[in-house]
């Protein structure tokens, strides 16, 4: 089966398939393990990928995935069907990731009061500026694109990667992202801008057309 | 407006949060209309986000898939054993 059916846009609510999910949840609540398993199979790769991107290693991503579905199992009654189940699961997963970061004493979850000013005044300057040779639809058809995207994302410092994954990949709002990471809205905005600029730079080096490269110092008329 | 100043407003532009009535936004539009490098940077960023949003999730490692379902099944059995125990105690003899 395709575990991605109807839920490809993450936190954005999607009508398609939601009745089906509500039905699976209802059956799971009444003790039907097959229905519960169907929910797991449907969302497991989304949760695993989310955790894997944030944490950067398999073992931690597996732990977070397992904890997330164990939490679903224990709290099936608390899911009221108000938002998409995927958003609910992603929030649980984000909590688990956060707990892991705190335990490992990572800086990702630490807000930095001076960060806003500091990094706004030293944004990374775009260097390789060129239109891409192909548009995103064409690029997505190529197998190597996924590898390049994962590689570029993995190379970002963790604190920028986390914000990019929540905001741009999973579609959470700036406020939700701030709450999930325990950061201020201002911190999230600055980190997101830096993440976007860094990824743009990396991807344009892969996908940009060197013959159409323009200089950042191009004089204005 | 300089390229540097425009760069700081890129989030608002890309996320559609710029209020086009503000004088600053007019400056922004004017800059963008005549600065090719900035246009290309904005396009590149939009395409970058579009690519990541459309990307496919990774499959679970096969060995983990089996382990995950086994551990969930075990916990499920414990949970429903617990519930039926407490409900049979409640309905008691
Ligand atoms: Zn410019």
């Amino acid at each position: 089966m395709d575990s991605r059916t109807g839920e490809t846009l993450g936190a954005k609510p999607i009508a398609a398939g939601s009745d089906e999910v509500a039905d699976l949840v209802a059956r799971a609540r009444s003790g039907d393990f097959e229905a519960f398993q169907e929910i797991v199979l449907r969302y497991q790769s989304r949760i695993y990928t989310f955790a894997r991107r944030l944490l950067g290693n398999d073992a931690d991503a597996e732990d977070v995935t397992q904890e997330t579905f164990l939490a679903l199992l224990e709290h099936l009654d608390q899911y009221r069907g108000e938002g998409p189940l995927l958003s609910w699961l992603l929030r649980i997963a984000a909590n688990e990731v956060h707990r892991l970061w705190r335990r490992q004493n990572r800086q990702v979850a630490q807000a930095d009061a001076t960060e806003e000013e500091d990094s706004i005044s030293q944004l990374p300057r775009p260097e390789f500026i060129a239109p891409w040779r192909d548009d995103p639809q064409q690029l997505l058809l190529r197998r190597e694109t996924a590898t390049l995207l994962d590689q570029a994302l993995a190379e970002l410092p963790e604190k920028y990667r986390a914000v990019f994954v929540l905001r741009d990949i999973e579609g959470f709002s700036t406020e939700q992202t701030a709450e999930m990471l325990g950061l201020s809205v201002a911190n999230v905005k600055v980190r997101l801008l830096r993440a976007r600029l860094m990824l743009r730079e990396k991807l344009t080096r892969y996908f940009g057309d060197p013959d159409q490269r323009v200089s950042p110092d191009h004089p204005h008329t | 407006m300089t390229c540097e100043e425009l760069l700081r407003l890129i989030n608002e532009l890309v996320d559609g949060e710029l209020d086009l009535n503000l004088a600053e936004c007019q400056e922004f539009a004017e800059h963008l209309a005549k600065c090719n490098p900035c246009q290309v940077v904005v396009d590149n960023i939009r395409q970058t986000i579009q690519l990541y949003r459309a990307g496919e999730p990774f499959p679970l490692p096969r060995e983990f898939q089996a382990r995950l379902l086994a551990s969930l099944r075990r916990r499920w059995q414990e949970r429903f054993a617990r519930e039926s125990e407490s409900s049979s105690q409640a309905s008691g003899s």
Side-chain angles (χ1 to χ4, degrees):
Chain A
M1 67 165 270
D2 183 358
S3 60
R4 298 181 285 262
T5 313
E7 290 286 349
T8 47
L9 284 178
K12 294 227 168 127
I14 292 171
S18 65
D19 287 352
E20 215 179 308
V21 173
D23 181 54
L24 288 172
V25 172
R27 280 166 52 203
R29 263 186 208 149
S30 63
D32 180 348
F33 183 74
E34 296 302 311
F36 179 74
Q37 188 168 277
E38 180 96 19
I39 297 172
V40 176
L41 293 174
R42 186 181 279 243
Y43 295 114
Q44 61 182 7
S45 61
R46 292 298 308 270
I47 299 301
Y48 174 75
T49 302
F50 173 67
R52 179 76 180 69
R53 282 182 174 140
L54 291 181
L55 295 160
N57 75 81
D58 293 338
D60 287 344
E62 291 177 5
D63 283 352
V64 164
T65 306
Q66 179 156 332
E67 288 306 317
T68 301
F69 288 108
L70 285 172
L72 174 67
L73 193 160
E74 294 296 338
H75 304 289
L76 267 173
D77 299 338
Q78 285 168 26
Y79 172 65
R80 300 262 169 250
E82 278 152 4
L85 182 58
L86 179 61
S87 310
W88 197 76
L89 291 170
L90 286 169
R91 280 173 169 275
I92 297 178
N95 251 328
E96 292 295 332
V97 167
H98 206 251
R99 199 153 68 180
L100 212 72
W101 275 333
R102 269 201 310 260
R103 205 161 59 215
Q104 296 169 349
N105 239 329
R106 302 292 262 279
Q107 287 189 340
V108 193
Q110 285 163 19
D112 180 349
T114 61
E115 182 175 55
E116 190 187 0
E117 253 174 84
D118 284 359
S119 41
I120 263 297
S121 60
Q122 342 165 343
L123 285 174
R125 303 242 354 178
E127 281 170 24
F128 195 102
I129 305 177
W132 289 5
R133 290 184 301 269
D134 300 296
D135 64 35
Q137 277 74 22
Q138 290 167 309
L139 289 169
L140 284 164
L141 298 175
R142 287 195 221 131
R143 196 177 303 164
E144 70 267 23
T145 301
T147 313
L148 290 173
L149 292 180
D150 290 336
Q151 200 178 309
L153 189 63
E155 285 166 10
L156 281 196
E158 209 167 34
K159 61 182 191 174
Y160 303 128
R161 195 168 69 222
V163 169
F164 185 82
V165 169
L166 288 165
R167 272 291 275 110
D168 282 343
I169 302 185
E170 302 300 345
F172 287 102
S173 70
T174 305
E175 289 72 19
Q176 287 170 327
T177 302
E179 186 206 317
M180 286 159 92
L181 294 174
L183 298 170
S184 71
V185 164
N187 277 150
V188 168
K189 286 184 175 169
V190 173
R191 289 186 188 187
L192 181 65
L193 181 53
R194 294 179 75 88
R196 286 170 165 178
L197 288 169
M198 286 186 237
L199 288 172
R200 187 216 68 86
E201 191 70 38
K202 287 174 195 290
L203 295 194
T204 303
R205 283 169 201 267
Y206 297 132
F207 303 136
D209 181 351
D211 295 337
Q212 295 191 61
R213 187 175 173 185
V214 290
S215 158
D217 305 318
H218 158 98
H220 294 127
T221 47
Chain B
M1 180 178 282
T2 64
C3 296
E4 178 80 27
E5 286 164 343
L6 184 132
L7 209 58
R8 292 180 203 169
L9 290 171
I10 279 186
N11 274 352
E12 285 72 16
L13 178 74
V14 166
D15 298 331
E17 290 167 0
L18 278 185
D19 181 350
L20 287 169
N21 295 319
L22 292 174
E24 194 174 42
C25 299
Q26 264 173 12
E27 271 185 64
F28 193 103
E30 275 166 28
H31 180 105
L32 213 53
K34 62 186 183 192
C35 181
N36 185 243
C38 281
Q39 277 168 31
V40 175
V41 167
V42 170
D43 282 350
N44 288 166
I45 288 184
R46 288 207 164 107
Q47 290 171 313
T48 297
I49 296 169
Q50 207 181 331
L51 268 187
Y52 277 104
R53 288 220 80 177
E56 300 278 305
F58 332 127
L60 264 65
R62 194 178 290 263
E63 175 273 338
F64 172 56
Q65 169 77 87
R67 194 151 41 84
L68 174 67
L69 290 177
S71 79
L72 291 170
R73 185 182 288 276
R74 213 178 311 120
R75 183 75 69 91
W76 185 272
Q77 283 161 352
E78 285 166 17
R79 185 191 156 171
F80 282 93
R82 217 156 59 213
E83 278 184 8
S84 63
E85 203 172 287
S86 60
S87 67
S88 69
Q89 275 169 1
S91 64
S93 50

